[in-house]
Amino acid sequence: MHVLVIGAAGMVGRKLLDKIASQPGALGRDIEKLILVDVIKPDAPASLASISTSRAADLSEPGVAESLIASRPDLIFHLAAIVSGEAEADFEKGYKVNLDGTRQLFEAIRLESAKSPYKPRVVFASSIAVFGQPFPEKIGDEFFTTPLTSYGTQKAICELLLSDYSRRGFFDGIGIRLPTICIRPGKPNKAASGFFSNILREPLVGQVAVLPVDENVRHWFTSPRSAVGFFLHAANLDLEKVGDRRNLSMPGLSALVGEEIAALQRVAGEKAVRLIRREPDATIQKIVAGWATDFDTKRATALGFKAETAFDDIIKAHIEDELGGNI
């Protein structure tokens, strides 16, 4: 099998590759060729190096998508995007990267399939940002997408494109609406949701973290470990069971910021909690206020997607995966 990972240098991309490397057969078939692409050249796990080719490229630039699809990958993970805060701050860049790059990828597949039979599996990273207020108590599978941010709008348009290109038979696509991933490893990024991870990640290693919103803010979460599981499951799933509605809200955990902090105290103690500094930020507060807080994910759950059900488990997964099991 030939696999293409776009956005391979990002957090989810790196963890996905590590999982594939450590779990032979994770994609259901042996991988014969692996192409890794991002705006910076990705690194392949050592055990996959012999079958991997890495490339620095911007999917939104002319000709890039066509060059990637020319080798006809069987499975495509499309994880590339700029994050919510950056997409809101830079309107043109958000649409260029998040929408134009995706459209060019889909078009490249369509044009390749017109030459001779070709129908790859496309697994697309979408977001719960496709939903906007007013919300029901729980967002179900029938709730409409009315995003209130540019990032959410870009993802919602891509979801529609994915469904239509799949309906027309150009590829077999599935969109994975990710909850906010927490705890994200590494340094803070430009995502408006970044503080949800910051207030746990930094205190766990003895560093100060800033909380820009009230502790009564509720949100929808999953761990990096579960996010990788979503993409692997989507790659192996019989999409006939998904039907024509190809975009799925993933299972997760609805929790208050205060419940995050309480879980941190249970796992790491009061010393870690004291490192959180309250510094209200009106811009972030406004963005977060327009986000969904709880979901009923019956479709995804029935299809076998799984996530954590307690915040303590999310924190413990980070400690195991990123801190060697020690704090």
Side-chain angles (χ1 to χ4, degrees), residues 63-206:
V64 171
E66 291 84 353
S67 67
L68 295 175
I69 298 304
S71 60
R72 296 193 159 208
D74 304 294
L75 172 61
I76 302 167
F77 291 104
H78 179 21
L79 313 176
I82 64 168
V83 295
S84 55
E86 189 175 5
E88 200 67 14
D90 192 331
F91 184 85
E92 292 183 1
K93 184 178 181 181
Y95 274 89
K96 181 175 185 287
V97 174
N98 294 346
L99 176 57
D100 296 346
T102 301
R103 176 70 193 283
Q104 290 181 33
L105 173 67
F106 291 176
E107 271 294 279
I109 297 171
R110 182 182 71 85
L111 294 173
E112 185 66 27
S113 68
K115 299 175 184 177
S116 60
Y118 173 56
K119 189 177 181 181
R121 169 72 56 93
V122 176
V123 183
F124 169 64
S126 189
S127 167
I128 59 172
V130 300
F131 299 109
Q133 293 178 321
F135 297 127
E137 184 176 346
K138 286 180 177 283
I139 293 178
D141 293 317
E142 307 303 324
F143 194 69
F144 44 79
T145 56
T146 53
L148 296 177
T149 64
S150 294
Y151 176 79
T153 301
Q154 293 147 15
K155 289 293 188 178
I157 296 171
C158 292
E159 286 192 1
L160 290 171
L161 291 172
L162 179 137
S163 290
D164 197 39
Y165 278 64
S166 295
R167 179 184 65 85
R168 295 295 298 266
F170 303 130
F171 56 69
D172 206 12
I174 180 170
I176 300 300
R177 291 183 188 133
L178 290 170
T180 287
I181 296 176
C182 185
I183 301 168
R184 297 184 68 94
K187 297 180 180 180
N189 63 17
K190 295 181 180 181
S193 60
F195 70 89
F196 288 120
S197 288
N198 301 351
I199 62 171
L200 302 175
R201 182 184 59 236
E202 271 65 48
L204 284 171
V205 293

